[in-house]
Amino acid sequence: MKNLYQQLGIYASMIIMLSSCDQFETQEFHVDKPESIIAQEERDAYNDLKSYINRTANPSFHFGSSISLDNYNSKGILHRMLNENFDEVEASTMNHGAIVQANGSLALGNWMNLMSTAQAAQTSVFGPALISHAGQNAAYLNSLIAPLVITGDAARVVVADFDNDNLGKTYPMTVSGGTNSSTVVVNNINNTGRVLNVKSVRSHPQFNVTLPQGRVLGDYVSLTLDMYITDATGGYGSGMRIFVNGRSGSYGSALSYVPNRAWGKMTLPLATMNLTATEKQLNSFTLAVGSETGAGDYFIDNIAFQDINVTKTPEQKRQIIETELQRWITTVVDTSKSYVKAWDVVDRPMDNLNPSQLRTGAGKPTLPADQFFWQDYLSRDYGVKAFQLARQHGNQGDKFFIAEDSLSFNPAKLNGLLGYIGYIEGQGAVVDGISTILNLTISSDKNEIVTMFQSLAATGKLVRVSKLRVEIPTSTAATNESYQQQSDMYKYVIQKYFELVPVAQRYGISINGLVEGVDVVSPSRAGIWINNAQKSYFRKPAYVGVLEGLSGK
């Protein structure tokens, strides 16, 4: 298989050379076709995949593939291959993150184009996951539950402005002695008002702070101060510093905030300090601020905490997120119901490490930019609400699925999923079916696949194989043998689906990634076609494995 394309080129060259000979010359020369060419011709002679489905025995079976919105809507070769070989399309890039814009509006144009394009081709559309932890516009959702910021004089607490201090008054320094001092003087520029003259070698003036009753340090957004400094008197050094009870936070150089040799106001965000939970609750504390320089001789004034964060309560966050869930599901389902008759409603709810529990973002220091955990705000009821909303806004008879991965090799996760389905239905919602996301390799355990299908069939619910892909690991050479193993695994999975899932429960099978190297998420050699450097598409042995699985051979 790995030499297929070289052999194709050699064979084509031979044909060209022979056809160019003098037409009256008798040729006694014979060239045997390479075995790889013969095998490819045999694969190319098969009919389209969907023609091998026994529709009499499987009247409700859907054979689909996932593809990006752009690849389908472009009506190129992938679009044609899907329509010719499959009867259902699932848009892999149709998700909350792609549709919801930064201002919260929903850009549904590409999705609507896919539905109309599929309808023209008489290809049904399976609705991709409505609610997931991945592929979300997390920035928008998080902005809705972020603290409100109150600005203006009502949100300002002055630490020191020195106007009522006597000239010559001094403030303590973080490092005392030597040349370190901070003394109240007359403004050196316009000779009016009083300011603090700081002379320091990596030392900073300190202030005792008591915030207004009911306010704590974590309520405030920033510390502001006016400063006059020059490049020769500490404008650079190691940057500005804020100290809270002796613990410091580092900022840029003073001259990155204020002009050289002129008064300016700087704003230092408190978030940069990464205040601890204890520090955020402080009402009284010692504050120090200044330039971390070994040659300090500068002036500061009007030190103040500015702007107040008003944190939303858990109940307020719940209401906001529930409203967004309702707006998202109802808008998408209402827009799609004329053509989409089946959906994955909740995607991959169970935790990988603790599969009896829901996934959560709680306790994780950072999350990928596209992750948002609806369940962290709506509890286990997020799935209940999602299924109820989808059914209320769909058509009578529409089918609604819950999707999960790793079910073939993680029986604990399957048990956890079944428990969660039980909870959802115990609250009055109905789950019609289970989409098992099958991401396999050529060496996946076949006994585990059998056990999974048996367990899913035992639920009595519709069973859908979702995003089926059989990978050849990159550590394995792409040989005739490995490609045949891939074909065998596709065939095995599809045959076992038909064997172990009763007819009434067979919703269908969807294959992820039509072409090796195109429209797939990793260079894993999944796919049932292959795309060479000349952009020619060839059926792989996997094509035969799929059709034999569908036909029951």
Side-chain angles (χ1 to χ4, degrees), residues 333 337 340-343 390-391 394-400 432:
V333 175
K337 64 190 297 181
V340 179
K341 309 301 179 184
W343 294 86
R391 196 169 298 279
N395 307 287
Q396 186 174 5
D398 284 359
K399 304 303 179 185
F400 299 103
D432 295 312

Side-chain angles (χ1 to χ4, degrees), residues 131-207:
I131 295 296
S132 178
H133 67 285
Q136 309 299 287
N137 189 334
Y140 167 71
L141 292 170
N142 284 321
S143 72
L144 299 178
I145 56 177
L148 295 174
V149 178
I150 301 174
T151 61
D153 290 343
R156 185 169 185 263
V157 174
V158 175
V159 173
D161 63 9
F162 313 110
D163 286 339
N164 295 322
D165 289 347
N166 293 325
L167 291 175
K169 177 181 177 178
T170 61
Y171 284 80
M173 300 287 286
T174 54
V175 178
S176 59
T179 60
N180 294 324
S181 66
S182 55
T183 307
V184 176
V185 298
V186 174
N187 188 325
N188 67 322
I189 298 299
N190 54 27
N191 205 33
T192 60
R194 299 182 181 188
V195 298
L196 193 68
N197 181 204
V198 180
K199 298 181 179 181
S200 63
V201 178
R202 304 191 186 284
S203 183
H204 315 281
Q206 296 184 118
F207 310 92

Side-chain angles (χ1 to χ4, degrees), residues 22-229:
D22 192 294
Q23 59 178 324
F24 299 108
E25 181 179 349
T26 302
Q27 299 294 326
E28 300 295 336
F29 186 65
H30 177 72
V31 178
D32 290 331
K33 290 184 182 179
E35 291 184 5
S36 59
I37 299 297
I38 296 172
Q40 187 65 53
E41 289 177 342
E42 289 176 352
R43 289 194 290 271
D44 292 341
Y46 284 111
N47 295 329
D48 297 331
L49 289 174
K50 63 185 180 183
S51 67
Y52 292 93
I53 301 169
N54 186 335
R55 298 294 184 182
T56 302
N58 299 280
S60 301
F61 181 81
H62 300 77
F63 185 51
S65 181
S66 58
I67 187 173
S68 71
L69 286 167
D70 289 343
N71 275 333
Y72 192 77
N73 287 341
S74 66
K75 300 182 181 179
I77 188 168
L78 294 178
H79 165 95
R80 295 194 297 275
M81 289 165 66
L82 190 150
N83 289 334
E84 290 170 356
N85 289 276
F86 301 86
D87 51 40
E88 187 165 80
V89 59
E90 179 180 3
S92 60
T93 54
M94 193 312 208
N95 54 42
H96 185 275
I99 301 301
V100 178
Q101 305 302 292
N103 63 359
S105 62
L106 272 60
L108 289 163
N110 285 340
W111 170 241
M112 296 173 70
N113 287 342
L114 180 137
M115 288 187 289
S116 61
T117 302
Q119 187 171 16
Q122 296 183 319
T123 300
S124 65
V125 176
F126 186 87
L130 290 170
I131 295 296
S132 178
H133 67 285
Q136 309 299 287
N137 189 334
Y140 167 71
L141 292 170
N142 284 321
S143 72
L144 299 178
I145 56 177
L148 295 174
V149 178
I150 301 174
T151 61
D153 290 343
R156 185 169 185 263
V157 174
V158 175
V159 173
D161 63 9
F162 313 110
D163 286 339
N164 295 322
D165 289 347
N166 293 325
L167 291 175
K169 177 181 177 178
T170 61
Y171 284 80
M173 300 287 286
T174 54
V175 178
S176 59
T179 60
N180 294 324
S181 66
S182 55
T183 307
V184 176
V185 298
V186 174
N187 188 325
N188 67 322
I189 298 299
N190 54 27
N191 205 33
T192 60
R194 299 182 181 188
V195 298
L196 193 68
N197 181 204
V198 180
K199 298 181 179 181
S200 63
V201 178
R202 304 191 186 284
S203 183
H204 315 281
Q206 296 184 118
F207 310 92
N208 293 321
V209 178
T210 298
L211 299 173
Q213 186 175 1
R215 289 292 175 204
V216 293
L217 181 57
D219 292 338
Y220 292 90
V221 176
S222 58
L223 182 74
T224 63
L225 65 150
D226 298 336
M227 175 175 275
Y228 178 94
I229 198 167

Side-chain angles (χ1 to χ4, degrees), residues 241-451:
R241 295 288 190 272
I242 295 177
F243 294 79
V244 172
N245 287 345
R247 193 180 73 83
S248 68
S250 300
Y251 296 81
S253 67
L255 289 179
S256 67
Y257 298 99
V258 297
N260 190 20
R261 302 178 184 276
W263 278 99
K265 183 177 289 292
M266 68 172 62
T267 300
L268 305 175
L270 293 176
T272 303
M273 287 199 66
N274 292 318
L275 295 169
T276 66
T278 300
E279 289 169 339
K280 289 179 180 179
Q281 295 303 313
L282 292 173
N283 174 265
S284 297
F285 51 91
T286 300
L287 172 75
V289 62
S291 178
E292 183 75 2
T293 175
D297 187 0
Y298 56 87
F299 301 86
I300 59 176
D301 196 9
N302 299 321
I303 305 167
F305 288 104
Q306 185 68 55
D307 301 339
I308 296 175
N309 284 314
V310 180
T311 302
K312 296 180 175 71
T313 67
E315 176 59 21
Q316 288 172 327
K317 292 179 180 181
R318 185 196 65 77
Q319 292 176 0
I320 291 168
I321 296 305
E322 184 173 342
T323 298
E324 278 301 305
L325 180 137
Q326 179 174 348
R327 183 175 75 96
W328 162 248
I329 292 179
T330 57
T331 302
V332 171
V333 175
D334 284 342
T335 301
S336 313
K337 64 190 297 181
S338 63
Y339 197 64
V340 179
K341 309 301 179 184
W343 294 86
D344 276 340
V345 178
V346 174
D347 174 53
R348 293 171 293 166
M350 310 315 296
D351 186 73
N352 287 325
L353 298 179
N354 191 3
S356 65
Q357 303 297 316
L358 297 181
R359 293 177 186 264
T360 179
K364 298 178 181 178
T366 58
L367 292 173
D370 71 334
Q371 286 195 4
F372 184 86
F373 293 83
W374 301 79
Q375 53 268 48
D376 285 347
Y377 303 94
L378 302 178
S379 74
R380 302 182 80 192
D381 288 337
Y382 90 109
V384 178
K385 298 178 189 301
F387 273 96
Q388 288 174 335
L389 287 166
R391 196 169 298 279
Q392 288 168 9
H393 289 264
N395 307 287
Q396 186 174 5
D398 284 359
K399 304 303 179 185
F400 299 103
F401 291 75
I402 190 167
E404 189 55 88
D405 61 11
S406 308
L407 298 182
S408 62
F409 62 85
N410 191 345
K413 199 172 193 184
L414 176 55
N415 290 334
L417 178 67
L418 296 180
Y420 186 49
I421 292 172
Y423 175 80
I424 291 173
E425 297 194 322
Q427 304 304 306
V430 176
V431 178
D432 295 312
I434 299 171
S435 289
T436 176
I437 301 169
L438 280 186
N439 190 358
L440 306 173
T441 72
I442 58 176
S443 58
S444 291
D445 190 321
K446 292 181 178 179
N447 291 327
E448 291 177 342
I449 295 169
V450 167
T451 301

Side-chain angles (χ1 to χ4, degrees), residues 493-543:
V493 171
I494 296 171
Q495 283 187 336
K496 288 301 174 182
Y497 175 85
F498 284 111
E499 175 187 331
L500 299 172
V501 178
V503 173
Q505 293 176 248
R506 296 175 192 164
Y507 178 86
I509 295 172
S510 178
I511 292 179
N512 184 30
L514 295 175
V515 180
E516 180 177 319
V518 177
D519 210 37
V520 293
V521 296
S522 63
S524 56
R525 297 191 287 269
I528 53 181
W529 282 268
I530 195 165
N531 179 18
N532 69 3
Q534 287 74 42
K535 303 301 180 184
S536 298
Y537 292 82
F538 297 94
R539 292 173 175 177
K540 293 168 56 176
Y543 186 96

